[in-house]
Amino acid sequence: MNRIRSLALPIAVTLTAGALSALAAGTAQAADVNVARNGGFESGLANWSCTGGTGASVSSPVYAGSGALKATPAGQDNARCSQIVTVKPNSTYTLSTQVQGSYVYLGATGTGTQDVSTWTPGSGAGWQKLSTTFTTGPSTTQVTVYTHGWYGQPAYVVDEFSVFGPDGGGGTDPGPSVPGAPAGAAVSGQSANALTLSWNAVGSATGYHVYQDGVRVKTVTGGASTQITGLTASTSYSFQVSAYNAAGEGPKSAPVTGTTTGTDPGPGPGPAVPKHALTGYWQNFNNGATVQRISDVSAQYDIIAVSFADATTTPGAITFNLDSAGLGGYTVAQFKADIAAKKAAGKSVILSIGGEKGTISVGDSASANNLANSAYALMQEYGFTGIDIDLENGLNPTYMTQALRSLSSKVGSSLVITMAPQTIDMQSTQGGYFKTALNIKDILTVVNMQYYNSGSMNGCDGKVYSQGSVDFLTALACIQLEGGLDPSQVGIGVPASPSGAGSGYVSPTVVNNALDCLTRGTSCGSFKPSKTYPGLRGAMTWSTNWDAKAGSAWSNSVGPKVHGLP
């Protein structure tokens, strides 16, 4: 979903090809050293400089050792703490740290090539690893690395800060040794499609690799257990676990075997989507909007898109991790029960794939099968009635079509498939999103294009329209309606409040006027379609949480309009 998770927060994530490779591997080369000094803050703030005296050394909470950095933004000071590290020219370095708190940033400047940064909107009460990679220029010998918070946000905590790469000659902290093999591997929580694997934590580990029948299927950080989904009923599997840190990957654990149970009847088919439907995205994170449980979502919403699925180390495969801590202790059992209750009330609860940070790639048959299999397993596990495709890094229409048809063959006619392309993605039928939508027209539920964070775009009459007007909504919807989609497969996607997007918010009145213009030919602006489309599916918003924050003004106005369409 091309949307912001908090208003006016800069997003600057720059990953080189080397960065992607390093992140995928989860380790640095064995010959690399940590050129950062006092990265564990065991020596207080030695080697570090924090703006405005905002930083302090603390003994709790810590990720490892006895110390950590705690910094508190104040006024116009974002609590930036940095140090200058000595590096080698023309070299690649992996920058990483463990963080805790809201809106924590990590980056490097003065690299001599392209400066980098990454951030997280929040880690709840637990620790989260931030990591990125930079390459030094031909004459660069020093780089400034830093972390900071955000204005008006609470204090953040940082620990185990490292910059791994070639020794630049400026002195280093001791590098870790390769961790040993995890002990105590065990299987529990058997179901027809999933098994839970646990093991004893290894003290020096940054994370763990999980192997299924000799093939690495998952990487786990911040815990010593995980659920393996997408399995076949009544089948035995062999698992091993290895620990890794910046020095490399250690040996695998002794193998342990687990067997899935018999065929699971699953949660049953979902309810039929009404002729005119209101869609809302539900946030599985806390970014300042109202924190909701699924049971809190207004009854006006017919389709609730849970945001978002998480990528795995298996290409194309997805998983889902409920942010229980960030959502006030919302348990998985309560989440599943709330989904079942919404389904009993005739609502569809689906899982959204992608979003602002969800880089999931489906570029071949194997990854297409992985997406279909893992999505089906999650539907079985949680009771989701479908999926939403919201990939902002583009998609391959050939293999995404294959994945969605494969999932449809598993689920049947009750499968709900929605899509949330950006406006640029639906300007031409030759675009990947548009091609995919047309390829699966017989099983597609609705395309809720995002009419925001867009700028000006062409309408179906060839004229340019600016976002934020009735004409922008109607003239761009016309492209889809005249480009081959059925009116029942077209919805208008807008923010629920000005806080829900960087630009493009329109009042509910403008949305309702656009719906009337497209379905009845009334309340149009300067653009008036050549015909009406009374079968138009409805409207969508980001998000149910921002809607609730604004007193449900959007759903209370647009919901009745959608449900009253002809």
Side-chain angles (χ1 to χ4, degrees), residues 306 308-309 318 351-355 358 360 371 375 387-391:
V306 171
F308 295 97
I318 58 172
L351 180 60
S352 183
I353 300 170
I360 297 167
L371 175 58
I387 61 172
D388 169 67
I389 304 301
D390 183 16
L391 298 174

Side-chain angles (χ1 to χ4, degrees), residues 184-207:
V187 172
S188 62
Q190 288 95 336
S191 70
N193 305 110
L195 295 168
T196 297
L197 179 66
S198 61
W199 56 91
N200 297 338
V202 177
S204 61
T206 301

Side-chain angles (χ1 to χ4, degrees), residues 39 74 99 157 291 318 321 351 363 380 384 387 406 449 462 517 525:
V99 302
V157 185
V291 172
I318 58 172
N321 299 290
L351 180 60
Q380 296 293 103
F384 298 124
I387 61 172
S406 175
M449 189 175 76
C517 179

Side-chain angles (χ1 to χ4, degrees), residues 405 408 413 417 436-445 489:
R405 289 206 172 277
S408 177
S413 60
I417 300 176
T436 303
L438 294 175
N439 286 348
I440 62 166
K441 185 176 177 180
D442 57 315
I443 58 173
L444 174 66
T445 306
Q489 296 172 324

Side-chain angles (χ1 to χ4, degrees), residues 185-187 195 197 210-217 228 231 235-241 252-260:
V187 172
L195 295 168
L197 179 66
V210 177
Y211 292 82
Q212 175 184 315
D213 296 330
V215 178
R216 185 193 294 183
V217 295
I228 312 297
L231 305 179
T235 304
S236 293
Y237 296 89
S238 176
F239 299 100
Q240 290 176 283
V241 184
K252 297 176 185 177
S253 68
V256 61
T257 299
T259 303
T260 52

